[in-house]
Amino acid sequence: MKKLYLFLIFVMLMISSTTTYANLPTKTEATRENLLEDAVIDLLVKPMFAAVDDYYGTTYEIGSFCERVIEIKKLHHPGSWLFEAKIEFVTFTGPHNFMDIFTVTLKKDWETEGQWVMQKYDVRKYDPKENYECRSPA
């Protein structure tokens, strides 16, 4: 019986700790457009990090923040599921150690066999004096 109570207390603590983070305030309003942008960024994290891996030679202990969709467009014809997206993000290692700003172009078309693939990327050094505007997830 004691084990059952301990288990229930553990479950209650787990539930309360996960719901605490669900209602954190954010600067970005949860509009349809912002939610769709969040979904695109979430779905394209792996191909985005292909640029990070290519540039640094690893993704170990490298994170990203301030992700935003710069441009997204349809390829070939209306009604297709073929796209090109340009996404920008800042890389970091550890707290307050910002490194570079990446602009990555990803493509999904017949040549990539329907998979999102990193086509090209540009990198510039992060300047702490620059007023870089971050977009928070909705």
Side-chain angles (χ1 to χ4, degrees):
M1 191 68 159
K2 206 177 212 181
K3 289 182 182 180
L4 179 63
Y5 286 124
L6 288 174
F7 177 74
L8 289 174
I9 290 172
F10 177 74
V11 169
M12 295 298 285
L13 287 173
M14 291 299 293
I15 290 172
S16 67
S17 67
T18 57
T19 56
T20 303
Y21 295 108
N23 296 321
L24 288 177
T26 179
K27 296 177 188 175
T28 306
E29 189 178 339
T31 63
R32 185 172 194 271
E33 182 176 340
N34 287 334
L35 292 173
L36 290 172
E37 185 170 357
D38 289 350
V40 166
I41 291 167
D42 183 55
L43 292 169
L44 297 180
V45 166
K46 189 173 181 180
M48 282 169 31
F49 265 75
V52 173
D53 189 40
D54 185 62
Y55 187 74
Y56 298 121
T58 185
T59 57
Y60 182 70
E61 292 189 354
I62 297 175
S64 69
F65 73 106
C66 286
E67 298 91 347
R68 61 182 171 175
V69 176
I70 302 297
E71 177 184 27
I72 190 163
K73 61 184 177 181
K74 282 273 200 172
L75 299 177
H76 303 290
H77 61 81
S80 73
W81 291 97
L82 310 174
F83 300 94
E84 185 176 272
K86 189 180 286 188
I87 299 177
E88 186 174 270
F89 58 93
V90 179
T91 57
F92 68 92
T93 59
H96 309 291
N97 188 14
F98 309 134
M99 299 184 333
D100 298 305
I101 300 171
F102 278 73
T103 304
V104 180
T105 302
L106 304 163
K107 190 174 178 182
K108 177 187 170 204
D109 68 358
W110 293 304
E111 294 171 2
T112 65
E113 298 177 359
Q115 301 296 316
W116 283 98
V117 175
M118 185 265 302
Q119 294 294 302
K120 65 179 182 173
Y121 63 91
D122 296 314
V123 181
R124 62 186 170 99
K125 287 293 176 199
Y126 179 83
D127 182 6
K129 296 173 188 159
E130 178 185 349
N131 187 13
Y132 190 78
E133 189 174 327
C134 284
R135 177 196 170 277
S136 300

